[in-house]
Amino acid sequence: MGELSRRTGVGTHQLRYYEAQGLLDPTRSANGYREYGEDSVAKVEQIRTLLSAGMTTKDIASMMPCVLGEGPDFVSCPELLDLMGSREKGLNERIEALTRSRDALRGHIDETRTARPGERPWAAARRRGRA
């Protein structure tokens, strides 16, 4: 496990988590140590890439039959497209909610900056005819 951690830059605790989630399947040596094959480095790279794209480990486990290469590259699977489309929709909804929150916060910041010393921001807005 230490060697795989060194080769991928992923901590051993994270590798254990991937194993617990069914994403890595090491063999065991006679002394009980985990042994990872050469394909494990590519598999960890696939996992990290998919996690960075907003996929969960549960998603990744279901996607693995459609994943090839280190990229990862995908085989066209209807289930995979549905899953990725669903994740994209969720991300878009979160982006829209965050954009609304940022815009509201920006408005509060602007009102606070333009208030006179000791004046409440809502009073400054009313003074300027915006409330």
Side-chain angles (χ1 to χ4, degrees):
M1 180 169 277
E3 176 64 22
L4 183 59
S5 177
R6 280 187 291 283
R7 291 180 67 191
T8 61
V10 175
T12 56
H13 66 283
Q14 199 66 37
L15 295 174
R16 282 188 200 94
Y17 176 74
Y18 296 162
E19 183 181 341
Q21 297 299 306
L23 300 175
L24 292 175
D25 189 23
T27 58
R28 295 282 182 162
S29 65
N31 60 7
Y33 290 131
R34 291 171 177 87
E35 293 184 351
Y36 294 92
E38 278 301 310
D39 65 327
S40 295
V41 173
K43 177 99 37 173
V44 170
E45 292 300 321
Q46 292 169 342
I47 293 165
R48 301 300 290 174
T49 298
L50 293 168
L51 287 170
S52 71
M55 306 306 284
T56 66
T57 54
K58 183 179 176 183
D59 293 338
I60 294 168
S62 70
M63 296 169 75
M64 282 312 206
C66 302
V67 176
L68 303 170
E70 292 181 34
D73 299 318
F74 299 103
V75 175
S76 183
C77 302
E79 307 85 25
L80 177 65
L81 291 171
D82 290 344
L83 178 61
M84 289 192 299
S86 174
R87 287 290 172 242
E88 180 185 26
K89 180 181 177 196
L91 287 171
N92 286 333
E93 290 168 354
R94 288 174 40 204
I95 289 167
E96 290 169 9
L98 287 169
T99 298
R100 285 191 301 275
S101 294
R102 183 200 59 208
D103 292 347
L105 181 58
R106 185 178 292 143
H108 294 306
I109 290 169
D110 291 345
E111 293 299 329
T112 302
R113 277 195 182 121
T114 59
R116 294 178 182 154
E119 180 180 43
R120 297 189 186 272
W122 60 267
R126 187 169 15 159
R127 179 174 38 79
R128 288 188 304 278
R130 289 198 248 167

